[in-house]
Amino acid sequence: MPSSPQHHSAPAPKDVSGADAEDLELYREKFRRRLPESLDELHGPAQGIVELPLHMAWSGMTAYDLDKPRQRMGLYRTVQHEGLHDDLPRYLNQDLLLQMWPVLRALVGRTVRAVWEDAFPQLASRRRTAA
């Protein structure tokens, strides 16, 4: 059985009040709950056109061509920010995520990046790897 993701709390910024720090922790927890137990669960497509449902693609673009690097990055960023627990294995591919992470980590929000890297050391170890 795969090990559960680690749930370390990133330190709150020093200038954040108690209520704001609590809000930040709730925001982190929202993303933690969506994570798979292991990156091995990510069996999404590696090529072709992917159509996202409206609960993820509410801002406009719904179709992404995985053969186009910018669209592929956009899809992964959208799914990591807006996808629910069951969406991640369906739309993300472990090999693509690992390959793209050194660049993708700069495109996702700070909280999303911290939650994914805390849970999956193989992503954190790729942060300095050239894309």
Side-chain angles (χ1 to χ4, degrees), residues 14-63:
K14 291 178 175 49
D15 61 340
V16 175
S17 72
D20 289 339
E22 186 174 325
D23 287 347
L24 283 172
E25 186 54 36
L26 288 172
Y27 187 60
R28 286 183 193 106
E29 186 58 29
K30 173 180 100 168
F31 291 108
R32 279 189 207 110
R33 282 190 305 246
R34 297 175 181 184
L35 293 176
E37 283 192 43
S38 166
L39 292 181
D40 293 335
E41 294 178 28
L42 304 180
H43 295 291
Q47 59 186 14
I49 306 292
V50 175
E51 297 269 347
L52 291 181
L54 288 178
H55 74 270
M56 282 189 284
W58 53 267
S59 66
M61 189 168 179
T62 59

Side-chain angles (χ1 to χ4, degrees), residues 52-123:
L52 291 181
L54 288 178
H55 74 270
M56 282 189 284
W58 53 267
S59 66
M61 189 168 179
T62 59
Y64 296 82
D65 185 344
L66 291 177
D67 299 321
K68 295 181 178 180
R70 289 178 69 115
Q71 288 189 31
R72 187 171 54 237
M73 287 284 180
L75 171 84
Y76 274 64
R77 182 178 183 276
T78 299
V79 172
Q80 285 184 298
H81 279 268
E82 305 297 337
L84 303 175
H85 180 77
D86 291 341
D87 294 322
L88 302 180
R90 181 176 181 184
Y91 293 102
L92 301 180
N93 178 284
Q94 177 183 358
D95 293 335
L96 285 180
L97 179 64
L98 289 168
Q99 173 191 354
M100 295 184 328
W101 190 252
V103 174
L104 182 61
R105 70 180 304 276
L107 301 176
V108 297
R110 180 181 307 150
T111 301
V112 171
R113 178 176 54 246
V115 165
W116 279 78
E117 288 184 349
D118 284 350
F120 305 112
Q122 60 269 53
L123 291 177

